[in-house]
Coordinates of all heavy atoms in Angstrom, one line a residue:
M258 N 99.1 84.4 105.2 CA 97.9 83.7 105.6 C 97.1 83.4 104.3 O 96.7 84.3 103.6 CB 97.1 84.6 106.5 CG 97.9 85.3 107.5 SD 97.5 84.7 109.2 CE 98.7 85.6 110.1
G259 N 97.0 82.1 104.1 CA 96.2 81.7 102.9 C 95.2 80.6 103.3 O 94.8 80.5 104.4
D260 N 94.9 79.8 102.3 CA 94.0 78.7 102.5 C 94.8 77.4 102.5 O 94.3 76.4 101.9 CB 92.9 78.7 101.4 CG 91.8 79.7 101.7 OD1 91.6 79.9 102.9 OD2 91.2 80.2 100.8
H261 N 95.9 77.4 103.1 CA 96.7 76.2 103.3 C 96.3 75.5 104.5 O 96.7 75.8 105.6 CB 98.2 76.6 103.4 CG 99.1 75.4 103.6 ND1 100.1 75.4 104.4 CD2 99.0 74.1 103.0 CE1 100.7 74.2 104.4 NE2 100.0 73.4 103.6
W262 N 95.4 74.5 104.3 CA 94.9 73.7 105.5 C 95.9 72.6 105.8 O 96.3 71.9 104.9 CB 93.5 73.1 105.1 CG 92.5 74.2 105.0 CD1 92.1 74.9 103.9 CD2 91.6 74.7 106.1 NE1 91.1 75.8 104.2 CE2 90.8 75.7 105.6 CE3 91.5 74.4 107.5 CZ2 89.9 76.3 106.3 CZ3 90.6 75.0 108.2 CH2 89.8 76.0 107.7
Q263 N 96.3 72.6 107.1 CA 97.2 71.6 107.5 C 96.6 70.6 108.5 O 96.0 71.0 109.5 CB 98.4 72.3 108.1 CG 99.6 71.3 108.3 CD 100.9 72.1 108.7 OE1 101.2 73.1 108.0 NE2 101.6 71.7 109.7
D264 N 96.9 69.3 108.3 CA 96.4 68.3 109.3 C 97.2 68.4 110.5 O 98.5 68.3 110.5 CB 96.6 66.9 108.6 CG 96.1 65.8 109.3 OD1 96.1 65.8 110.6 OD2 95.6 64.8 108.7
V265 N 96.6 68.6 111.7 CA 97.3 68.7 113.0 C 97.0 67.6 114.0 O 97.8 67.4 114.9 CB 97.0 70.1 113.6 CG1 97.5 71.2 112.7 CG2 95.6 70.2 114.0
A266 N 95.9 66.8 113.8 CA 95.6 65.8 114.8 C 94.4 65.0 114.3 O 93.7 65.4 113.4 CB 95.3 66.5 116.1
A267 N 94.3 63.8 115.0 CA 93.1 63.1 114.8 C 92.0 63.7 115.7 O 92.3 64.1 116.9 CB 93.3 61.6 115.2
E268 N 90.8 63.8 115.2 CA 89.7 64.5 116.0 C 89.6 63.7 117.4 O 89.4 64.3 118.4 CB 88.4 64.5 115.2 CG 87.3 65.2 116.0 CD 86.0 65.1 115.3 OE1 85.8 64.2 114.4 OE2 85.1 65.9 115.6
A269 N 89.7 62.4 117.3 CA 89.4 61.6 118.5 C 90.5 61.8 119.5 O 90.3 61.4 120.7 CB 89.4 60.1 118.1
D270 N 91.6 62.4 119.2 CA 92.7 62.6 120.1 C 92.5 63.9 121.0 O 93.4 64.1 121.8 CB 94.1 62.6 119.4 CG 94.5 61.2 119.0 OD1 93.9 60.2 119.5 OD2 95.4 61.1 118.2
I271 N 91.5 64.7 120.6 CA 91.3 65.9 121.4 C 89.9 65.8 122.0 O 88.9 66.2 121.4 CB 91.4 67.2 120.5 CG1 92.7 67.1 119.6 CG2 91.5 68.4 121.4 CD1 92.8 68.3 118.6
P272 N 89.9 65.4 123.3 CA 88.6 65.3 124.0 C 88.1 66.6 124.4 O 88.8 67.6 124.4 CB 88.9 64.4 125.2 CG 90.3 64.7 125.5 CD 91.0 65.0 124.1
V273 N 86.8 66.7 124.8 CA 86.3 68.0 125.3 C 87.1 68.4 126.5 O 87.4 67.6 127.4 CB 84.8 67.8 125.7 CG1 84.3 69.1 126.4 CG2 83.9 67.6 124.4
G274 N 87.6 69.6 126.5 CA 88.4 70.1 127.6 C 89.9 69.9 127.3 O 90.7 70.3 128.1
G275 N 90.2 69.3 126.2 CA 91.6 69.0 125.8 C 92.1 70.0 124.8 O 91.4 70.7 124.2
M276 N 93.4 70.0 124.7 CA 94.1 70.8 123.7 C 95.3 70.1 123.1 O 95.9 69.2 123.7 CB 94.4 72.2 124.3 CG 95.3 72.1 125.5 SD 95.4 73.8 126.2 CE 96.4 73.5 127.6
Q277 N 95.6 70.5 121.9 CA 96.7 69.9 121.1 C 97.5 71.0 120.5 O 97.0 71.8 119.7 CB 96.1 69.0 120.1 CG 97.1 68.4 119.1 CD 97.9 67.3 119.7 OE1 97.3 66.4 120.3 NE2 99.2 67.3 119.5
A278 N 98.8 71.0 120.7 CA 99.7 72.0 120.1 C 100.2 71.5 118.8 O 100.3 70.3 118.6 CB 100.9 72.3 121.0
A279 N 100.5 72.4 117.8 CA 101.0 72.0 116.5 C 101.7 73.2 115.9 O 101.6 74.3 116.4 CB 99.8 71.5 115.6
V280 N 102.4 72.9 114.9 CA 103.1 74.0 114.1 C 102.4 74.0 112.7 O 102.4 73.0 112.0 CB 104.6 73.7 114.0 CG1 105.2 74.8 113.1 CG2 105.3 73.7 115.4
V281 N 101.9 75.2 112.4 CA 101.3 75.3 111.1 C 102.0 76.5 110.3 O 102.0 77.6 110.8 CB 99.8 75.7 111.2 CG1 99.1 76.0 109.9 CG2 99.0 74.5 111.9
D282 N 102.5 76.2 109.2 CA 103.3 77.1 108.4 C 104.3 77.9 109.3 O 104.5 79.1 109.2 CB 102.4 78.1 107.7 CG 101.5 77.5 106.7 OD1 101.9 76.4 106.2 OD2 100.5 78.0 106.3
G283 N 105.0 77.2 110.2 CA 106.0 77.7 111.0 C 105.5 78.4 112.3 O 106.3 79.0 113.0
R284 N 104.2 78.4 112.5 CA 103.7 79.1 113.6 C 103.1 78.1 114.6 O 102.4 77.2 114.3 CB 102.6 80.0 113.1 CG 102.0 81.0 114.1 CD 101.1 82.0 113.3 NE 100.6 82.9 114.2 CZ 100.5 84.2 113.9 NH1 100.9 84.7 112.7 NH2 99.9 85.1 114.7
R285 N 103.4 78.3 115.9 CA 102.9 77.4 117.0 C 101.5 77.8 117.3 O 101.2 78.9 117.7 CB 103.7 77.5 118.2 CG 105.1 77.0 118.1 CD 105.9 76.9 119.4 NE 105.4 75.8 120.2 CZ 104.7 76.0 121.3 NH1 104.4 77.2 121.8 NH2 104.2 75.0 122.0
I286 N 100.6 76.8 117.1 CA 99.2 77.1 117.4 C 98.7 76.0 118.4 O 99.3 75.0 118.6 CB 98.3 77.1 116.1 CG1 98.4 75.7 115.4 CG2 98.7 78.2 115.2 CD1 97.3 74.8 115.7
L287 N 97.5 76.3 118.9 CA 96.9 75.4 119.9 C 95.4 75.2 119.5 O 94.7 76.1 119.3 CB 97.0 76.1 121.2 CG 96.7 75.3 122.5 CD1 97.7 74.1 122.6 CD2 96.9 76.2 123.7
V288 N 95.1 73.9 119.3 CA 93.7 73.6 119.0 C 93.0 73.1 120.3 O 93.5 72.3 121.0 CB 93.6 72.4 118.0 CG1 92.1 72.1 117.8 CG2 94.2 72.9 116.7
C289 N 91.9 73.8 120.7 CA 91.2 73.5 121.9 C 89.8 73.0 121.6 O 89.1 73.5 120.7 CB 91.0 74.7 122.7 SG 92.6 75.6 123.1
R290 N 89.4 71.9 122.3 CA 88.0 71.5 122.1 C 87.1 71.8 123.3 O 87.4 71.4 124.4 CB 87.9 70.0 121.9 CG 86.5 69.6 121.5 CD 86.2 68.1 121.6 NE 86.8 67.3 120.6 CZ 86.3 67.2 119.4 NH1 85.1 67.7 119.1 NH2 86.9 66.4 118.5
L291 N 86.1 72.6 123.0 CA 85.1 72.9 124.0 C 83.8 72.1 123.6 O 83.8 71.5 122.6 CB 84.7 74.4 123.9 CG 85.9 75.4 123.9 CD1 85.3 76.8 124.0 CD2 86.8 75.2 125.0
R292 N 82.8 72.2 124.5 CA 81.6 71.5 124.2 C 81.0 72.0 122.9 O 80.4 71.3 122.1 CB 80.6 71.7 125.3 CG 80.8 70.9 126.5 CD 79.7 71.1 127.6 NE 80.2 70.8 128.9 CZ 80.5 69.6 129.3 NH1 80.3 68.5 128.6 NH2 81.0 69.4 130.5
E293 N 81.2 73.3 122.6 CA 80.6 73.9 121.4 C 81.5 73.8 120.2 O 81.1 74.2 119.1 CB 80.4 75.4 121.7 CG 81.6 76.2 122.1 CD 81.3 77.3 123.0 OE1 80.9 78.4 122.6 OE2 81.4 77.1 124.2
G294 N 82.6 73.1 120.3 CA 83.4 72.8 119.1 C 84.9 73.0 119.2 O 85.4 73.2 120.4
L295 N 85.6 73.0 118.1 CA 87.0 73.2 118.1 C 87.4 74.6 117.8 O 86.8 75.3 116.9 CB 87.6 72.3 117.0 CG 87.6 70.8 117.3 CD1 87.7 70.0 116.0 CD2 88.7 70.4 118.3
F296 N 88.4 75.1 118.4 CA 88.9 76.5 118.2 C 90.4 76.4 118.2 O 91.1 75.7 118.9 CB 88.5 77.4 119.4 CG 87.0 77.5 119.4 CD1 86.2 76.6 120.2 CD2 86.3 78.5 118.7 CE1 84.8 76.7 120.2 CE2 84.9 78.6 118.8 CZ 84.2 77.7 119.5
A297 N 91.0 77.3 117.3 CA 92.5 77.3 117.2 C 93.0 78.7 117.4 O 92.4 79.7 116.9 CB 92.9 76.9 115.8
V298 N 94.0 78.8 118.3 CA 94.6 80.1 118.6 C 96.1 80.0 118.6 O 96.6 78.9 118.6 CB 94.2 80.6 120.1 CG1 92.7 80.9 120.1 CG2 94.5 79.5 121.1
D299 N 96.8 81.1 118.6 CA 98.3 81.0 118.8 C 98.6 80.4 120.1 O 97.9 80.5 121.1 CB 98.9 82.4 118.8 CG 99.3 82.9 117.4 OD1 98.9 82.3 116.4 OD2 100.0 83.9 117.3
A300 N 99.7 79.6 120.1 CA 100.1 78.9 121.3 C 101.1 79.7 122.2 O 101.7 79.2 123.1 CB 100.7 77.6 121.0
T301 N 101.3 81.0 121.8 CA 102.3 81.8 122.5 C 101.6 83.0 123.2 O 100.8 83.8 122.5 CB 103.3 82.4 121.5 OG1 103.9 81.2 120.8 CG2 104.4 83.1 122.2
C302 N 101.8 83.1 124.5 CA 101.1 84.2 125.2 C 101.5 85.6 124.7 O 102.7 85.8 124.4 CB 101.5 84.0 126.7 SG 100.6 85.2 127.8
T303 N 100.5 86.5 124.6 CA 100.8 87.8 124.1 C 101.5 88.7 125.2 O 101.9 89.8 124.9 CB 99.5 88.5 123.7 OG1 98.6 88.6 124.8 CG2 98.9 87.8 122.5
H304 N 101.6 88.2 126.4 CA 102.3 89.0 127.4 C 103.8 88.9 127.3 O 104.5 89.8 127.0 CB 101.8 88.6 128.8 CG 102.6 89.3 129.9 ND1 103.2 88.6 130.9 CD2 102.8 90.6 130.2 CE1 103.8 89.5 131.7 NE2 103.6 90.7 131.3
A305 N 104.4 87.7 127.6 CA 105.8 87.5 127.5 C 106.2 86.2 126.9 O 107.2 85.5 127.3 CB 106.4 87.6 128.9
A306 N 105.4 85.8 125.9 CA 105.7 84.6 125.0 C 105.8 83.3 125.7 O 106.5 82.4 125.2 CB 107.0 85.0 124.2
A307 N 105.1 83.0 126.8 CA 105.1 81.7 127.4 C 104.3 80.7 126.5 O 103.5 81.2 125.7 CB 104.5 81.7 128.8
A308 N 104.6 79.4 126.6 CA 103.9 78.4 125.8 C 102.6 78.1 126.5 O 102.5 77.5 127.6 CB 104.8 77.2 125.8
L309 N 101.5 78.5 125.8 CA 100.2 78.3 126.4 C 99.8 76.8 126.5 O 98.8 76.5 127.2 CB 99.2 79.1 125.7 CG 99.4 80.6 125.9 CD1 98.4 81.4 124.9 CD2 99.1 81.0 127.3
D310 N 100.4 76.0 125.7 CA 100.1 74.6 125.8 C 100.5 74.0 127.1 O 100.1 72.8 127.5 CB 100.6 73.8 124.6 CG 102.0 74.1 124.2 OD1 102.3 75.3 124.0 OD2 102.9 73.2 124.2
E311 N 101.3 74.7 127.9 CA 101.7 74.3 129.2 C 100.8 74.9 130.3 O 101.0 74.7 131.5 CB 103.2 74.6 129.5 CG 104.1 73.9 128.6 CD 105.6 74.4 128.7 OE1 105.9 75.2 129.6 OE2 106.4 73.9 127.9
G312 N 99.8 75.6 129.8 CA 98.8 76.2 130.7 C 97.6 75.3 130.9 O 97.6 74.1 130.7
W313 N 96.4 75.9 131.3 CA 95.3 75.2 131.6 C 94.1 75.7 130.8 O 93.9 76.9 130.6 CB 94.9 75.3 133.1 CG 96.1 75.0 134.0 CD1 96.4 73.7 134.4 CD2 97.1 75.8 134.4 NE1 97.6 73.8 135.2 CE2 98.1 75.1 135.2 CE3 97.4 77.2 134.2 CZ2 99.2 75.6 135.8 CZ3 98.5 77.7 134.8 CH2 99.4 77.0 135.6
L314 N 93.2 74.7 130.4 CA 92.0 75.1 129.7 C 90.8 74.7 130.6 O 90.7 73.5 131.0 CB 91.9 74.3 128.4 CG 90.7 74.6 127.5 CD1 90.7 76.1 127.1 CD2 90.6 73.6 126.3
R315 N 90.0 75.7 131.0 CA 88.8 75.4 131.8 C 87.7 76.1 131.1 O 87.6 77.3 131.0 CB 88.9 76.0 133.2 CG 90.0 75.4 134.0 CD 89.4 74.8 135.3 NE 90.4 73.9 136.0 CZ 91.5 74.3 136.6 NH1 91.7 75.6 136.8 NH2 92.3 73.5 137.1
G316 N 86.8 75.2 130.5 CA 85.7 75.8 129.7 C 86.4 76.5 128.5 O 87.3 76.0 127.9
Y317 N 86.0 77.8 128.3 CA 86.6 78.5 127.1 C 87.8 79.3 127.6 O 88.5 80.0 126.8 CB 85.6 79.5 126.6 CG 85.1 80.5 127.5 CD1 85.8 81.6 127.9 CD2 83.8 80.3 128.1 CE1 85.3 82.6 128.8 CE2 83.3 81.2 129.0 CZ 84.1 82.3 129.4 OH 83.6 83.2 130.3
R318 N 88.2 79.2 128.9 CA 89.3 80.0 129.5 C 90.6 79.3 129.4 O 90.8 78.3 130.1 CB 88.8 80.3 130.9 CG 89.7 81.3 131.6 CD 89.1 81.5 133.0 NE 89.9 82.5 133.8 CZ 89.6 83.7 133.8 NH1 88.5 84.2 133.2 NH2 90.3 84.6 134.5
L319 N 91.6 79.9 128.7 CA 92.9 79.3 128.6 C 93.8 80.2 129.5 O 94.0 81.4 129.3 CB 93.4 79.3 127.2 CG 94.8 78.9 126.9 CD1 95.1 77.5 127.3 CD2 95.2 79.1 125.4
S320 N 94.5 79.6 130.5 CA 95.3 80.3 131.4 C 96.8 80.1 131.1 O 97.2 78.9 130.9 CB 95.0 79.9 132.9 OG 93.7 80.2 133.2
C321 N 97.5 81.2 131.2 CA 99.0 81.1 130.9 C 99.7 80.6 132.2 O 99.4 81.0 133.3 CB 99.5 82.5 130.6 SG 101.3 82.6 130.3
P322 N 100.7 79.7 132.0 CA 101.4 79.1 133.1 C 102.4 80.0 133.8 O 102.8 79.8 134.9 CB 102.1 77.9 132.5 CG 102.4 78.3 131.1 CD 101.2 79.1 130.7
L323 N 102.7 81.1 133.1 CA 103.8 81.9 133.6 C 103.3 83.0 134.6 O 103.8 83.1 135.7 CB 104.6 82.6 132.4 CG 106.0 83.1 132.8 CD1 106.8 82.0 133.4 CD2 106.7 83.5 131.5
H324 N 102.4 83.9 134.2 CA 101.9 84.9 135.1 C 100.4 84.9 135.2 O 99.9 85.9 135.8 CB 102.4 86.3 134.5 CG 103.8 86.4 134.2 ND1 104.3 86.5 132.9 CD2 104.9 86.3 135.0 CE1 105.6 86.5 132.9 NE2 106.0 86.4 134.1
G325 N 99.7 83.9 134.7 CA 98.3 83.8 135.0 C 97.3 84.5 134.2 O 96.2 84.5 134.5
A326 N 97.8 85.2 133.1 CA 96.8 85.8 132.2 C 95.9 84.7 131.6 O 96.2 83.6 131.6 CB 97.5 86.5 131.0
A327 N 94.7 85.2 131.2 CA 93.7 84.2 130.6 C 93.2 84.8 129.4 O 93.0 86.0 129.2 CB 92.6 83.9 131.6
F328 N 92.8 83.9 128.5 CA 92.3 84.2 127.2 C 91.0 83.4 126.9 O 90.9 82.3 127.3 CB 93.3 83.9 126.1 CG 94.6 84.6 126.2 CD1 95.6 84.1 126.9 CD2 94.8 85.9 125.7 CE1 96.8 84.7 127.1 CE2 96.0 86.6 125.8 CZ 97.0 86.0 126.6
D329 N 90.1 84.0 126.1 CA 88.9 83.2 125.7 C 89.3 82.6 124.3 O 89.5 83.3 123.3 CB 87.7 84.2 125.5 CG 86.4 83.6 125.1 OD1 86.5 82.5 124.5 OD2 85.4 84.1 125.4
V330 N 89.4 81.3 124.3 CA 89.8 80.6 123.0 C 88.8 80.7 121.9 O 89.2 80.5 120.7 CB 90.2 79.2 123.3 CG1 91.3 79.0 124.3 CG2 89.0 78.3 123.7
R331 N 87.6 81.2 122.2 CA 86.6 81.3 121.1 C 86.9 82.5 120.2 O 86.6 82.4 119.0 CB 85.2 81.4 121.7 CG 84.8 80.2 122.6 CD 83.5 80.5 123.3 NE 83.7 81.6 124.2 CZ 82.7 82.0 125.1 NH1 81.5 81.4 125.0 NH2 82.9 83.0 125.9
D332 N 87.4 83.6 120.8 CA 87.7 84.7 119.9 C 89.1 85.3 120.2 O 89.5 86.3 119.6 CB 86.6 85.8 120.1 CG 86.5 86.3 121.6 OD1 87.3 85.9 122.4 OD2 85.5 87.0 121.9
G333 N 89.8 84.7 121.2 CA 91.2 85.2 121.4 C 91.3 86.3 122.4 O 92.4 86.8 122.8
R334 N 90.1 86.8 122.9 CA 90.1 88.0 123.8 C 90.9 87.7 125.1 O 90.9 86.7 125.7 CB 88.7 88.2 124.2 CG 88.5 89.4 125.1 CD 87.0 89.6 125.3 NE 86.2 88.6 124.8 CZ 84.9 88.3 125.3 NH1 84.4 89.0 126.3 NH2 84.2 87.4 124.7
A335 N 91.7 88.8 125.5 CA 92.4 88.7 126.7 C 91.4 89.0 127.8 O 90.7 90.0 127.8 CB 93.6 89.7 126.7
L336 N 91.4 88.1 128.8 CA 90.4 88.2 129.9 C 90.9 89.0 131.1 O 90.1 89.3 132.0 CB 89.9 86.9 130.3 CG 89.1 86.1 129.2 CD1 88.9 84.7 129.6 CD2 87.9 86.8 128.8
G337 N 92.2 89.3 131.1 CA 92.7 90.0 132.3 C 94.2 90.1 132.3 O 94.8 89.4 131.5
P338 N 94.7 91.1 133.1 CA 96.1 91.3 133.1 C 96.9 90.1 133.6 O 96.3 89.3 134.3 CB 96.3 92.5 134.0 CG 95.0 92.5 134.8 CD 94.0 91.9 134.0
P339 N 98.2 90.0 133.3 CA 99.0 91.0 132.7 C 99.0 91.0 131.1 O 99.7 91.8 130.5 CB 100.4 90.7 133.2 CG 100.4 89.2 133.3 CD 99.0 88.9 133.8
A340 N 98.1 90.2 130.5 CA 98.1 90.3 129.0 C 96.9 91.2 128.6 O 95.8 91.1 129.2 CB 97.8 88.9 128.4
F341 N 97.2 92.1 127.7 CA 96.1 93.0 127.2 C 95.8 92.7 125.7 O 94.8 93.1 125.2 CB 96.6 94.4 127.4 CG 96.7 94.8 128.8 CD1 97.9 94.8 129.4 CD2 95.6 95.0 129.6 CE1 98.1 95.1 130.8 CE2 95.7 95.3 131.0 CZ 96.9 95.4 131.5
H342 N 96.8 92.2 125.0 CA 96.6 91.9 123.5 C 95.9 90.6 123.3 O 96.2 89.6 124.0 CB 97.9 91.9 122.8 CG 98.6 93.3 122.9 ND1 98.1 94.4 122.2 CD2 99.7 93.7 123.5 CE1 98.9 95.4 122.4 NE2 99.9 95.0 123.3
W343 N 95.0 90.6 122.4 CA 94.2 89.3 122.1 C 95.2 88.3 121.5 O 96.1 88.7 120.8 CB 93.1 89.6 121.2 CG 92.0 90.5 121.7 CD1 92.1 91.5 122.7 CD2 90.6 90.4 121.4 NE1 90.8 92.0 122.9 CE2 89.9 91.4 122.1 CE3 89.9 89.6 120.5 CZ2 88.5 91.6 122.0 CZ3 88.5 89.8 120.4 CH2 87.9 90.8 121.1
L344 N 94.8 87.1 121.6 CA 95.5 86.0 120.9 C 95.0 85.9 119.5 O 93.7 85.9 119.3 CB 95.2 84.6 121.5 CG 96.0 84.2 122.7 CD1 95.5 82.8 123.1 CD2 97.5 84.1 122.4
P345 N 95.8 85.8 118.5 CA 95.3 85.6 117.1 C 94.5 84.3 117.1 O 95.0 83.3 117.7 CB 96.6 85.6 116.3 CG 97.6 86.4 117.0 CD 97.3 86.1 118.5
T346 N 93.5 84.3 116.3 CA 92.7 83.0 116.1 C 92.9 82.5 114.7 O 93.2 83.3 113.8 CB 91.2 83.3 116.4 OG1 90.7 84.3 115.5 CG2 90.9 83.7 117.8
H347 N 92.6 81.2 114.5 CA 92.8 80.6 113.2 C 91.6 79.7 112.9 O 90.8 79.4 113.8 CB 94.1 79.8 113.3 CG 95.3 80.6 113.6 ND1 95.8 81.6 112.8 CD2 96.0 80.7 114.8 CE1 96.8 82.2 113.5 NE2 97.0 81.7 114.6
R348 N 91.5 79.4 111.6 CA 90.4 78.6 111.2 C 90.6 77.1 111.4 O 91.8 76.6 111.3 CB 90.2 78.8 109.7 CG 89.7 80.2 109.4 CD 89.9 80.6 107.9 NE 91.3 80.8 107.6 CZ 91.8 80.8 106.4 NH1 91.0 80.7 105.4 NH2 93.1 81.0 106.3
V349 N 89.6 76.4 111.8 CA 89.8 75.0 112.1 C 88.5 74.2 111.6 O 87.4 74.8 111.6 CB 90.0 74.7 113.6 CG1 88.9 75.3 114.4 CG2 90.1 73.3 113.9
R350 N 88.8 73.1 111.0 CA 87.6 72.2 110.5 C 88.0 70.8 110.6 O 89.2 70.4 110.8 CB 87.3 72.6 109.1 CG 88.3 72.1 108.0 CD 87.7 72.4 106.6 NE 88.4 71.6 105.6 CZ 89.0 72.1 104.5 NH1 88.9 73.4 104.3 NH2 89.6 71.3 103.7
V351 N 87.0 69.9 110.6 CA 87.3 68.5 110.6 C 86.9 67.9 109.3 O 85.8 68.2 108.7 CB 86.4 67.9 111.8 CG1 86.6 66.4 111.8 CG2 86.9 68.5 113.1
E352 N 87.7 67.0 108.8 CA 87.5 66.3 107.6 C 88.0 64.9 107.7 O 89.1 64.6 108.0 CB 88.2 67.0 106.5 CG 87.7 66.8 105.1 CD 88.4 67.7 104.1 OE1 88.1 68.9 104.1 OE2 89.3 67.2 103.4
G353 N 87.1 63.9 107.5 CA 87.4 62.5 107.6 C 88.1 62.1 108.9 O 89.0 61.3 108.9
G354 N 87.6 62.7 110.0 CA 88.1 62.4 111.3 C 89.5 63.1 111.7 O 90.0 62.8 112.7
R355 N 89.9 64.0 110.8 CA 91.2 64.7 111.0 C 90.9 66.2 111.3 O 90.0 66.7 110.7 CB 92.1 64.6 109.8 CG 92.5 63.2 109.4 CD 93.3 62.4 110.4 NE 94.5 63.1 110.8 CZ 95.4 62.6 111.7 NH1 95.1 61.5 112.3 NH2 96.5 63.3 112.0
V356 N 91.7 66.8 112.1 CA 91.5 68.2 112.4 C 92.5 69.0 111.5 O 93.7 68.7 111.5 CB 91.8 68.5 113.9 CG1 91.7 70.0 114.2 CG2 90.9 67.7 114.8
L357 N 91.9 69.9 110.8 CA 92.7 70.7 109.9 C 92.7 72.2 110.3 O 91.6 72.7 110.8 CB 92.2 70.7 108.5 CG 91.9 69.3 107.9 CD1 91.3 69.4 106.5 CD2 93.2 68.5 107.8
V358 N 93.8 72.9 110.2 CA 93.9 74.3 110.6 C 94.5 75.1 109.5 O 95.4 74.6 108.8 CB 94.8 74.4 111.9 CG1 95.1 75.9 112.2 CG2 94.1 73.8 113.1
A359 N 94.0 76.3 109.3 CA 94.6 77.2 108.3 C 94.8 78.5 109.1 O 93.9 79.0 109.8 CB 93.7 77.5 107.1
L360 N 96.0 79.1 108.9 CA 96.2 80.4 109.6 C 95.3 81.5 109.1 O 94.9 81.5 107.9 CB 97.7 80.8 109.3 CG 98.8 79.9 109.9 CD1 100.2 80.5 109.7 CD2 98.5 79.5 111.4
G361 N 95.0 82.4 110.0 CA 94.1 83.5 109.6 C 92.8 83.4 110.4 O 92.4 82.4 110.9
R362 N 92.2 84.6 110.6 CA 91.1 84.7 111.5 C 89.9 83.8 111.1 O 89.6 83.7 109.9 CB 90.7 86.2 111.4 CG 89.8 86.6 112.6 CD 89.9 88.0 112.9 NE 89.0 88.4 114.0 CZ 89.3 88.1 115.3 NH1 90.4 87.5 115.6 NH2 88.4 88.5 116.2
A363 N 89.3 83.2 112.1 CA 88.2 82.3 111.9 C 87.0 83.1 111.4 O 86.8 84.3 111.7 CB 87.9 81.6 113.1
Ligands
FES425 S1 103.8 85.2 129.7 FE1 101.6 84.8 129.8 S2 100.9 86.0 131.4 FE2 103.0 86.5 131.3

């Protein structure tokens, strides 16, 4: 985990309530836009590795499509079973209308 910022999307392509999956340094991540800003988390559920980009984002709550666990994308916290481990979070910033992500805790 370093300061390798990678371009993952155009800012305009992620509306409020939307999310965009990308691969950063070989790791699948998910960028989510809330009213309060952009947040990046791992795109793989900590329960049984389902793809969270196939789930649902409602407010800050990201729900897994496989068994229904939910996470808070602002800090990665697991909000209920069957997932107990938090989602890793990553740093995200906007530069020149592009969304950049660097692995490692925000
Ligand atoms: S894989 Fe996500 S809740 Fe089971």
